[in-house]
Amino acid sequence: MYAYQVNAWGDVVGTPGAVTDVASGHYFTPGDLDPTLEAIATAGFPGIEIFDGNLLALGDDAQSFGRRLETHGLALAGVYSGGHFIYPDAHEEEYLRFERSIKVAASLGARHFVIGGGGVRTRGRLDSDYRVMAELLERVAESATAEGLIPSYHPHLGSLAENPEQIDALLAASSIGLCADVAHLAAGGGDPIRIIDRYADRLTYVHLKNYVAASGTFVPLADGDLDIRAILAAITTRGYSDWIGVELDGYPGDPGAAAAENFKFLQEATNA
Protein backbone atom coordinates (compact mmCIF):
# COMPACT_ATOMS: atom_id res chain seq x y z
CA MET A 1 0.00 0.00 0.00
CA TYR A 2 1.28 3.45 -0.89
CA ALA A 3 0.68 6.70 0.95
CA TYR A 4 1.66 10.24 -0.05
CA GLN A 5 3.18 12.94 2.16
CA VAL A 6 1.17 16.16 2.14
CA ASN A 7 4.40 18.21 2.23
CA ALA A 8 4.59 17.90 -1.57
CA TRP A 9 2.01 20.72 -1.66
CA GLY A 10 3.51 23.09 0.90
CA ASP A 11 6.90 21.77 1.98
CA VAL A 12 7.70 21.93 5.69
CA VAL A 13 8.02 24.77 8.19
CA GLY A 14 8.54 24.88 11.94
CA THR A 15 6.94 26.76 14.79
CA PRO A 16 8.75 29.98 15.76
CA GLY A 17 7.49 29.68 19.33
CA ALA A 18 9.81 26.75 19.87
CA VAL A 19 12.67 29.25 20.23
CA THR A 20 11.37 30.05 23.73
CA ASP A 21 9.12 27.04 24.38
CA VAL A 22 10.70 23.71 23.47
CA ALA A 23 7.49 21.78 24.12
CA SER A 24 5.64 23.76 21.43
CA GLY A 25 8.02 22.94 18.58
CA HIS A 26 6.81 20.89 15.64
CA TYR A 27 6.88 20.55 11.87
CA PHE A 28 3.86 21.40 9.76
CA THR A 29 2.83 21.98 6.17
CA PRO A 30 1.11 25.36 5.68
CA GLY A 31 -2.02 26.00 3.67
CA ASP A 32 -5.43 24.45 3.14
CA LEU A 33 -5.10 20.67 3.21
CA ASP A 34 -8.42 19.82 1.57
CA PRO A 35 -7.21 20.41 -2.02
CA THR A 36 -4.13 18.36 -1.14
CA LEU A 37 -6.20 15.46 0.14
CA GLU A 38 -8.33 15.59 -2.99
CA ALA A 39 -5.24 15.62 -5.23
CA ILE A 40 -3.69 12.65 -3.42
CA ALA A 41 -6.91 10.65 -3.70
CA THR A 42 -7.35 11.63 -7.35
CA ALA A 43 -3.82 10.44 -8.13
CA GLY A 44 -4.82 7.02 -6.80
CA PHE A 45 -3.10 6.85 -3.42
CA PRO A 46 -5.14 5.23 -0.63
CA GLY A 47 -3.32 6.89 2.26
CA ILE A 48 -1.41 9.93 3.44
CA GLU A 49 1.40 10.86 5.77
CA ILE A 50 1.30 14.19 7.59
CA PHE A 51 3.34 16.20 10.09
CA ASP A 52 2.28 16.16 13.72
CA GLY A 53 2.02 19.95 13.74
CA ASN A 54 -0.89 19.89 11.32
CA LEU A 55 -2.78 17.64 13.71
CA LEU A 56 -1.77 19.47 16.90
CA ALA A 57 -3.05 22.72 15.39
CA LEU A 58 -6.56 21.24 15.33
CA GLY A 59 -6.70 21.08 19.11
CA ASP A 60 -9.85 19.42 20.42
CA ASP A 61 -11.25 19.21 16.89
CA ALA A 62 -8.75 16.66 15.59
CA GLN A 63 -11.53 14.21 14.77
CA SER A 64 -12.74 16.62 12.10
CA PHE A 65 -9.60 15.74 10.18
CA GLY A 66 -10.49 12.08 10.40
CA ARG A 67 -13.85 12.86 8.83
CA ARG A 68 -12.10 14.77 6.04
CA LEU A 69 -9.93 11.73 5.36
CA GLU A 70 -13.02 9.54 5.18
CA THR A 71 -14.60 11.94 2.70
CA HIS A 72 -11.64 11.45 0.38
CA GLY A 73 -11.35 7.70 1.04
CA LEU A 74 -7.90 8.06 2.60
CA ALA A 75 -6.21 6.28 5.49
CA LEU A 76 -3.72 7.93 7.83
CA ALA A 77 -0.68 5.77 7.15
CA GLY A 78 1.79 7.82 9.13
CA VAL A 79 2.49 10.89 11.25
CA TYR A 80 5.95 12.47 11.16
CA SER A 81 7.53 14.26 14.11
CA GLY A 82 11.00 15.33 15.15
CA GLY A 83 13.13 17.00 17.78
CA HIS A 84 16.62 17.94 18.98
CA PHE A 85 17.10 14.93 21.31
CA ILE A 86 20.76 15.65 22.18
CA TYR A 87 20.17 18.10 25.05
CA PRO A 88 19.35 16.15 28.23
CA ASP A 89 17.93 19.17 30.05
CA ALA A 90 15.31 19.54 27.32
CA HIS A 91 14.26 15.90 27.20
CA GLU A 92 11.24 16.30 29.46
CA GLU A 93 9.94 19.27 27.50
CA GLU A 94 10.45 17.51 24.19
CA TYR A 95 8.76 14.40 25.47
CA LEU A 96 5.63 16.34 26.45
CA ARG A 97 5.14 17.39 22.85
CA PHE A 98 5.87 13.90 21.50
CA GLU A 99 3.31 12.55 23.95
CA ARG A 100 0.65 14.93 22.62
CA SER A 101 1.52 14.04 19.02
CA ILE A 102 1.35 10.32 19.71
CA LYS A 103 -2.06 10.58 21.35
CA VAL A 104 -3.64 12.58 18.52
CA ALA A 105 -2.05 10.30 15.89
CA ALA A 106 -3.43 7.23 17.66
CA SER A 107 -6.88 8.80 18.05
CA LEU A 108 -7.04 9.23 14.26
CA GLY A 109 -6.05 5.64 13.58
CA ALA A 110 -2.53 6.30 12.29
CA ARG A 111 -0.37 3.22 11.80
CA HIS A 112 3.16 4.66 11.80
CA PHE A 113 4.81 7.27 13.99
CA VAL A 114 7.95 8.49 12.22
CA ILE A 115 10.61 10.34 14.19
CA GLY A 116 13.25 12.50 12.56
CA GLY A 117 15.83 14.88 13.89
CA GLY A 118 18.75 14.79 16.22
CA GLY A 119 20.48 18.14 16.54
CA VAL A 120 23.97 18.81 15.22
CA ARG A 121 26.13 21.04 17.43
CA THR A 122 27.98 23.99 15.94
CA ARG A 123 31.22 22.24 16.90
CA GLY A 124 30.08 18.98 15.34
CA ARG A 125 28.69 15.67 16.53
CA LEU A 126 29.84 14.19 19.83
CA ASP A 127 30.00 10.45 20.42
CA SER A 128 27.84 10.95 23.50
CA ASP A 129 25.09 12.58 21.43
CA TYR A 130 24.01 9.20 20.05
CA ARG A 131 23.55 7.73 23.52
CA VAL A 132 21.72 10.81 24.80
CA MET A 133 19.43 10.86 21.78
CA ALA A 134 18.75 7.16 22.11
CA GLU A 135 17.52 7.63 25.69
CA LEU A 136 14.69 9.92 24.59
CA LEU A 137 14.13 8.04 21.36
CA GLU A 138 13.51 4.84 23.32
CA ARG A 139 11.02 6.59 25.59
CA VAL A 140 9.12 8.07 22.65
CA ALA A 141 9.10 4.73 20.83
CA GLU A 142 7.73 2.97 23.92
CA SER A 143 4.92 5.53 24.21
CA ALA A 144 4.06 5.18 20.52
CA THR A 145 4.00 1.39 20.78
CA ALA A 146 1.76 1.58 23.86
CA GLU A 147 -0.75 3.60 21.81
CA GLY A 148 -0.75 1.03 19.00
CA LEU A 149 1.56 2.92 16.64
CA ILE A 150 4.66 1.55 14.91
CA PRO A 151 7.60 3.86 15.73
CA SER A 152 10.59 4.33 13.46
CA TYR A 153 13.59 6.63 13.13
CA HIS A 154 14.11 8.49 9.85
CA PRO A 155 17.74 9.38 9.03
CA HIS A 156 17.69 12.82 7.41
CA LEU A 157 20.13 15.18 5.75
CA GLY A 158 21.46 17.68 8.28
CA SER A 159 20.53 15.57 11.30
CA LEU A 160 22.67 13.69 13.82
CA ALA A 161 22.33 10.46 11.82
CA GLU A 162 22.95 11.41 8.21
CA ASN A 163 25.62 9.08 6.79
CA PRO A 164 25.91 5.28 7.21
CA GLU A 165 28.38 5.44 10.12
CA GLN A 166 26.18 7.89 12.01
CA ILE A 167 23.08 5.79 11.35
CA ASP A 168 24.94 2.75 12.67
CA ALA A 169 25.95 4.67 15.81
CA LEU A 170 22.41 5.74 16.61
CA LEU A 171 20.77 2.40 15.85
CA ALA A 172 23.41 0.63 17.94
CA ALA A 173 22.38 2.77 20.90
CA SER A 174 18.63 2.38 20.32
CA SER A 175 16.27 -0.48 19.54
CA ILE A 176 13.86 1.63 17.46
CA GLY A 177 12.91 0.49 13.97
CA LEU A 178 14.26 2.15 10.83
CA CYS A 179 12.28 4.30 8.42
CA ALA A 180 14.40 3.97 5.29
CA ASP A 181 14.04 7.12 3.20
CA VAL A 182 15.93 5.91 0.17
CA ALA A 183 16.71 9.38 -1.21
CA HIS A 184 18.05 10.69 2.09
CA LEU A 185 20.12 7.54 2.57
CA ALA A 186 21.67 8.07 -0.86
CA ALA A 187 22.17 11.80 -0.37
CA GLY A 188 23.87 11.07 2.95
CA GLY A 189 26.47 8.96 1.18
CA GLY A 190 24.90 5.54 1.65
CA ASP A 191 23.68 2.76 -0.60
CA PRO A 192 19.95 2.40 0.18
CA ILE A 193 19.82 -1.31 -0.67
CA ARG A 194 22.90 -2.05 1.41
CA ILE A 195 21.41 -0.22 4.40
CA ILE A 196 18.06 -1.99 3.93
CA ASP A 197 19.96 -5.29 3.89
CA ARG A 198 21.87 -4.40 7.04
CA TYR A 199 18.73 -3.47 8.96
CA ALA A 200 16.20 -5.79 7.32
CA ASP A 201 15.05 -7.05 10.72
CA ARG A 202 14.43 -3.47 11.88
CA LEU A 203 12.84 -2.07 8.73
CA THR A 204 9.43 -0.86 9.92
CA TYR A 205 8.61 1.86 7.38
CA VAL A 206 9.83 3.15 4.03
CA HIS A 207 9.91 6.55 2.31
CA LEU A 208 10.29 6.67 -1.47
CA LYS A 209 11.46 9.54 -3.61
CA ASN A 210 14.21 9.82 -6.19
CA TYR A 211 17.34 11.94 -6.07
CA VAL A 212 19.70 13.65 -8.53
CA ALA A 213 23.16 13.79 -6.99
CA ALA A 214 24.57 16.37 -9.42
CA SER A 215 21.99 18.98 -8.42
CA GLY A 216 21.16 17.70 -4.94
CA THR A 217 17.43 17.71 -5.75
CA PHE A 218 14.53 15.37 -5.09
CA VAL A 219 12.54 14.34 -8.15
CA PRO A 220 9.69 11.98 -9.14
CA LEU A 221 10.34 8.28 -8.81
CA ALA A 222 11.13 7.67 -12.51
CA ASP A 223 13.48 10.60 -12.96
CA GLY A 224 16.50 10.40 -10.64
CA ASP A 225 19.70 8.45 -10.12
CA LEU A 226 18.19 5.75 -7.92
CA ASP A 227 16.90 2.47 -9.31
CA ILE A 228 13.55 2.55 -7.53
CA ARG A 229 12.46 -0.76 -9.05
CA ALA A 230 15.52 -2.48 -7.61
CA ILE A 231 14.87 -0.83 -4.24
CA LEU A 232 11.26 -2.00 -4.24
CA ALA A 233 12.41 -5.50 -5.08
CA ALA A 234 14.93 -5.41 -2.24
CA ILE A 235 12.30 -4.25 0.23
CA THR A 236 9.90 -7.00 -0.82
CA THR A 237 12.58 -9.68 -0.80
CA ARG A 238 13.48 -8.76 2.78
CA GLY A 239 9.89 -9.37 3.82
CA TYR A 240 8.54 -5.85 4.16
CA SER A 241 4.80 -5.69 3.39
CA ASP A 242 3.47 -2.58 5.14
CA TRP A 243 2.72 0.98 4.00
CA ILE A 244 5.29 2.78 1.85
CA GLY A 245 5.19 6.57 1.98
CA VAL A 246 5.99 8.56 -1.17
CA GLU A 247 7.40 12.08 -0.78
CA LEU A 248 8.35 14.91 -3.09
CA ASP A 249 9.11 17.89 -0.86
CA GLY A 250 10.80 20.86 -2.49
CA TYR A 251 9.91 19.80 -6.02
CA PRO A 252 9.36 22.88 -8.25
CA GLY A 253 6.96 21.17 -10.66
CA ASP A 254 3.22 20.58 -10.47
CA PRO A 255 2.69 18.43 -7.33
CA GLY A 256 -0.60 16.96 -8.55
CA ALA A 257 0.90 15.87 -11.86
CA ALA A 258 3.93 14.46 -10.05
CA ALA A 259 1.70 12.49 -7.67
CA ALA A 260 -0.18 10.97 -10.61
CA GLU A 261 3.13 10.20 -12.33
CA ASN A 262 4.47 8.56 -9.18
CA PHE A 263 1.36 6.42 -8.75
CA LYS A 264 1.54 5.27 -12.38
CA PHE A 265 5.22 4.39 -11.92
CA LEU A 266 4.44 2.33 -8.82
CA GLN A 267 1.62 0.47 -10.56
CA GLU A 268 3.90 -0.41 -13.46
CA ALA A 269 6.78 -1.36 -11.17
CA THR A 270 4.55 -3.55 -9.03
CA ASN A 271 2.93 -5.31 -11.98
CA ALA A 272 6.13 -5.79 -13.94
Side-chain angles (χ1 to χ4, degrees):
M1 297 180 291
Y2 298 104
Y4 216 82
Q5 235 292 2
V6 303
N7 65 3
W9 279 262
D11 216 339
V12 53
V13 298
T15 47
V19 171
T20 54
D21 178 10
V22 172
S24 72
H26 53 250
Y27 302 130
F28 69 97
T29 294
D32 182 3
L33 289 180
D34 280 308
T36 296
L37 299 181
E38 182 176 357
I40 290 172
T42 298
F45 289 91
I48 68 159
E49 183 182 317
I50 194 169
F51 291 119
D52 62 339
N54 290 96
L55 302 182
L56 291 172
L58 298 171
D60 295 334
D61 197 29
Q63 296 310 311
S64 66
F65 185 72
R67 292 190 291 272
R68 289 153 70 188
L69 289 178
E70 289 179 8
T71 297
H72 295 287
L74 294 168
L76 184 56
V79 174
Y80 189 107
S81 188
H84 292 292
F85 287 101
I86 64 171
Y87 306 112
D89 287 350
H91 274 190
E92 196 59 38
E93 294 296 313
E94 286 198 282
Y95 178 74
L96 291 174
R97 196 255 304 155
F98 282 120
E99 190 174 40
R100 291 197 299 271
S101 300
I102 288 166
K103 288 187 179 301
V104 69
S107 75
L108 289 168
R111 179 159 175 81
H112 292 273
F113 190 73
V114 189
I115 306 160
V120 179
R121 301 172 188 273
T122 54
R123 65 180 185 276
R125 297 166 175 83
L126 303 179
D127 289 344
S128 59
D129 288 340
Y130 300 97
R131 173 186 54 78
V132 172
M133 178 170 178
E135 291 173 359
L136 179 55
L137 201 56
E138 290 288 294
R139 186 179 178 191
V140 174
E142 288 174 7
S143 294
T145 300
E147 291 288 344
L149 301 167
I150 300 173
S152 59
Y153 176 71
H154 179 305
H156 199 287
L157 290 175
S159 71
L160 182 68
E162 177 183 72
N163 68 35
E165 292 76 20
Q166 294 156 1
I167 294 168
D168 287 347
L170 181 60
L171 294 185
S174 169
S175 63
I176 194 169
L178 171 67
C179 172
D181 183 311
V182 300
H184 278 275
L185 294 178
D191 178 332
I193 292 179
R194 199 170 282 178
I195 293 172
I196 288 167
D197 278 344
R198 180 172 174 81
Y199 292 105
D201 61 336
R202 293 176 65 173
L203 184 67
T204 52
Y205 195 42
V206 176
H207 275 182
L208 282 186
K209 54 179 175 277
N210 216 323
Y211 175 69
V212 177
S215 59
T217 55
F218 298 129
V219 294
L221 296 174
D223 297 343
D225 299 337
L226 302 181
D227 186 343
I228 299 297
R229 285 184 173 84
I231 289 170
L232 286 169
I235 292 166
T236 302
T237 300
R238 277 68 175 177
Y240 184 82
S241 59
D242 209 303
W243 284 98
I244 293 176
V246 181
E247 286 191 299
L248 197 50
D249 45 315
Y251 178 63
D254 181 336
E261 178 185 339
N262 281 335
F263 188 75
K264 180 180 178 182
F265 174 90
L266 291 167
Q267 282 188 309
E268 293 173 351
T270 302
N271 295 328

